[in-house]
């Protein structure tokens, strides 16, 4: 999000927080979303998903047509999963307008 950001002047932490949203599910996502809203922090970005996926292709966690992501199904636990970039794009579209 940080490298693809179109001059929105988001801080690193804001980019990390927005990036956590599509990787979290259920109550974990609700809790993160609630905290961001309570603190008046952004919960979506206006960058398009294609630009974000393109930036992710250069990420250190990317290899070939896959990228390793951190998925959070519930607070206090996580799973590392290799997904293809089309899966990543679908997740990113949840926060990109």
């Amino acid at each position: 999000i940080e490298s693809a950001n179109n001059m929105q002047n988001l801080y690193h932490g804001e980019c990390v927080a927005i990036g956590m949203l599509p990787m979290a599910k259920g109550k974990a996502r609700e809790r993160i979303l609630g905290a961001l809203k309570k603190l008046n922090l952004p919960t979506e970005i206006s960058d398009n998903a294609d630009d974000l996926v393109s930036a992710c292709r250069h990420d250190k966690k990317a290899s070939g047509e896959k990228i390793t992501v951190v998925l959070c199904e519930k607070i206090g636990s996580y799973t590392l999963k290799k997904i293809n970039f089309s899966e990543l794009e679908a997740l990113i579209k949840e926060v990109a307008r």
Side-chain angles (χ1 to χ4, degrees):
I1 292 173
E2 230 171 336
S3 62
N5 190 256
N6 291 324
M7 305 301 284
Q8 290 184 49
N9 299 321
L10 294 175
Y11 292 107
H12 171 75
E14 292 171 327
C15 293
V16 171
I18 293 168
M20 288 172 31
L21 287 172
M23 302 303 157
K25 302 296 176 213
K27 292 188 185 284
R29 180 184 284 182
E30 291 172 19
R31 189 166 171 187
I32 294 167
L33 189 57
L36 294 175
K37 286 181 177 181
K38 184 175 182 178
L39 296 168
N40 292 321
L41 293 170
T43 58
E44 55 183 31
I45 53 173
S46 61
D47 298 297
N48 73 48
D50 292 335
D51 290 344
L52 294 168
V53 171
S54 180
C56 289
R57 289 182 181 278
H58 303 287
D59 189 275
K60 63 185 174 192
K61 296 175 292 300
S63 177
E65 286 301 309
K66 294 193 179 264
I67 187 167
T68 301
V69 296
V70 180
L71 299 175
C72 178
E73 299 279 334
K74 63 180 185 173
I75 299 295
S77 68
Y78 68 92
T79 305
L80 295 176
K81 183 177 179 185
K82 279 189 183 263
I83 63 173
N84 61 44
F85 283 101
S86 61
E87 291 174 278
L88 180 65
E89 183 175 11
L91 291 171
I92 287 173
K93 285 183 177 179
E94 296 176 16
V95 295
R97 288 185 254 149

